[in-house]
């Protein structure tokens, strides 16, 4: 990929705005809950089957599951908001570029080609904010598990 394309992707991520930071926070929290949930569920099951007082562990399991649901929903919503901001910026930028070219230069491209780039390609490129955050946070669970086994 060219340096200009890399710069465009980074700018698209920045144009996602503040939601990108919230997305990173909810994604990290979600990864933490995914890591903790099996241990909490195991402790709750051990307490129930062992005849011990299981109220604490069952409560923690319920809170973990509720947190998982809330974080997952927030993660999806905030990711969509960040992507929408990025896509809107990309479309405005591309449309300004096309209009600045004028009709003579724009004739080199077919109308369908320009519309395809304006609608489809910007949507794919505009998903860079959530894609970057989710790619980085997907590394958390394997990293935590592999560091535990050292």
């Amino acid at each position: 990929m060219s340096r200009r394309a890399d710069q465009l992707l980074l700018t698209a991520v920045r144009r996602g705005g503040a939601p990108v930071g919230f997305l990173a926070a909810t994604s990290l929290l979600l990864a933490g809950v995914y890591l903790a949930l099996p241990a909490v569920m195991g402790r709750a099951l051990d307490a129930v089957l062992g005849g011990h007082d299981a109220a604490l562990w069952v409560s923690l399991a319920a809170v973990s599951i509720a947190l998982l649901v809330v974080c997952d929903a927030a993660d999806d919503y905030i990711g969509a908001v960040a992507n929408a901001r990025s896509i809107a910026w990309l479309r405005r930028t591309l449309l300004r570029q096309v209009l600045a070219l004028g009709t003579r230069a724009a004739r080199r491209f077919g109308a369908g080609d320009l519309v395809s780039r304006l609608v489809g390609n910007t949507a794919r490129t505009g998903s860079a904010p959530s894609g970057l955050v989710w790619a980085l946070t997907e590394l958390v669970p394997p990293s935590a598990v592999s560091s535990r086994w050292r």
Side-chain angles (χ1 to χ4, degrees):
M1 209 189 298
S2 73
R3 189 149 179 86
R4 285 187 71 180
D6 292 341
Q7 188 63 34
L8 179 67
L9 281 175
L10 287 174
T11 304
V13 169
R14 281 195 304 267
R15 291 297 179 152
V20 176
F22 292 120
L23 180 63
T26 59
S27 293
L28 285 173
L29 184 59
L30 191 59
V33 173
Y34 273 125
L35 283 172
L37 187 61
V40 171
M41 294 292 283
R43 293 283 180 121
L45 187 61
D46 288 345
V48 168
L49 294 177
H52 302 95
D53 184 22
L56 172 67
W57 290 109
V58 171
S59 298
L60 284 175
V63 167
S64 297
I65 291 169
L67 192 58
L68 185 75
V69 170
V70 168
C71 283
D72 197 25
D75 196 53
D76 289 342
Y77 176 75
I78 296 169
V81 169
N83 288 350
R85 290 173 56 110
S86 177
I87 291 167
W89 173 79
L90 281 167
R91 287 182 178 161
R92 280 191 306 270
T93 302
L94 180 61
L95 186 58
R96 268 192 232 113
Q97 290 288 336
V98 169
L99 293 175
L101 287 173
T103 55
R104 294 182 88 190
R107 285 189 193 133
R108 292 188 316 207
F109 304 103
D113 185 35
L114 288 174
V115 170
S116 171
R117 290 173 192 236
L118 186 63
V119 174
N121 295 357
T122 55
R124 280 192 292 279
T125 305
S127 66
S130 65
L132 178 65
V133 169
W134 290 335
L136 293 175
T137 55
E138 287 295 319
L139 297 174
V140 171
S143 302
V145 170
S146 68
S147 68
R148 183 174 184 220
W149 295 105
R150 289 184 189 178

